[in-house]
Amino acid sequence: MDQNDLGTDIEKVLVTEAQIAHRLTEMASDIDRDYQGRDVLLVGVLKGAVMVMADLARALHSRVRMDWMAVSSYGSGTKSSGVVRILKDLDTDLKDQHVLIVEDIIDSGLTLSWLLSNLRSRGAASVEICTLLRKPEAVKVELDVRYVGFDVPNEFVIGYGLDYAERYRNVPFVATLAPHVYQ
Ligand code: IMP
Ligand code: MG
């Protein structure tokens, strides 16, 4: 899929396919270096992190295991509240595991702070966060994010796993939508 397939839906491309691929390679080599000699469990947060997980995992030289979680944060409208419900839990016991959470985007950071303390409470040896995108709000919360791909402006973005009403997840780049899409 490319921009031609999307008609007039795209307003602006913020991160291109090539930029994502290049940055993921850099992040993968940081992760390879930091976890040298340790077994890593990548934990992807469904559904948004599917693309990041698939491409990051293949850019790594380390042999990793992969598991998935699905969570929903209750909130009014599009803002998350920090009250999180687990829709699908991990299949893996985290005791003494080195866990790397793989996320698509951090906005308020509320979902991740909850997830971080939840996973830590299961006796993991370490829990770190890797996200492709980060919005400015995320900087305000006390959240130590080890690996960040790109800082993006405070706008609603789609593509590369990110959706608007479950659409646009298979767009290979990150973009904002034209106003008519929301009407
Ligand atoms: P928060 O950090 O708790 O506010 O929520 C982050 C989650 O909200 C992400 O994992 C995404 O699933 C979703 N999200 C936040 N910002 C966007 C966006 O711009 N586009 C699509 N989904 C978003
Ligand atoms: Mg997500």
Side-chain angles (χ1 to χ4, degrees):
M1 151 164 289
D2 59 38
Q3 220 174 322
N4 295 322
D5 299 314
L6 296 158
T8 58
D9 287 9
I10 300 300
E11 183 177 65
K12 188 168 184 279
V13 178
L14 296 183
V15 192
T16 66
E17 216 175 332
Q19 286 173 320
I20 294 171
H22 181 252
R23 186 73 187 107
L24 285 180
T25 311
E26 292 177 339
M27 293 164 82
S29 83
D30 290 346
I31 293 166
D32 281 329
R33 182 201 60 214
D34 296 349
Y35 287 91
Q36 220 170 48
R38 282 186 288 171
D39 249 347
V40 186
L41 177 70
L42 300 181
V43 169
V45 185
L46 294 169
K47 306 170 195 165
V50 166
M51 306 293 175
V52 192
M53 182 76 142
D55 288 340
L56 176 74
R58 285 179 293 178
L60 290 169
H61 289 279
S62 317
R63 302 178 189 188
V64 295
R65 282 160 303 133
M66 290 152 80
D67 203 347
W68 300 91
M69 252 181 115
V71 296
S72 89
S73 29
Y74 286 125
S76 51
T78 55
K79 282 279 165 225
S80 70
S81 60
V83 182
V84 178
R85 190 163 59 110
I86 297 177
L87 303 177
K88 187 233 169 275
D89 207 343
L90 299 170
D91 299 323
T92 318
D93 180 1
L94 295 191
K95 181 113 183 62
D96 303 326
Q97 300 291 319
H98 292 286
V99 176
L100 182 58
I101 302 172
V102 178
E103 257 288 25
D104 47 359
I105 191 165
I106 308 178
D107 184 4
S108 72
L110 291 170
T111 308
L112 263 183
S113 351
W114 181 90
L115 200 57
L116 203 58
S117 54
N118 180 286
L119 298 190
R120 284 201 171 123
S121 75
R122 304 185 194 193
S126 69
V127 186
E128 298 293 343
I129 300 165
C130 173
T131 184
L132 181 70
L133 306 170
R134 180 172 64 183
K135 287 192 187 175
E137 286 286 314
V139 182
K140 294 185 200 159
V141 288
E142 200 62 47
L143 194 63
D144 184 18
V145 186
R146 177 75 69 92
Y147 310 96
V148 181
F150 301 93
D151 280 298
V152 291
N154 201 11
E155 292 178 79
F156 194 81
V157 294
I158 57 89
Y160 204 72
L162 292 157
D163 73 306
Y164 169 63
E166 291 302 326
R167 292 174 192 274
Y168 305 103
R169 290 195 197 273
N170 66 325
V171 172
F173 47 82
V174 175
T176 55
L177 288 173
H180 75 79
V181 176
Y182 300 108
Q183 272 136 42

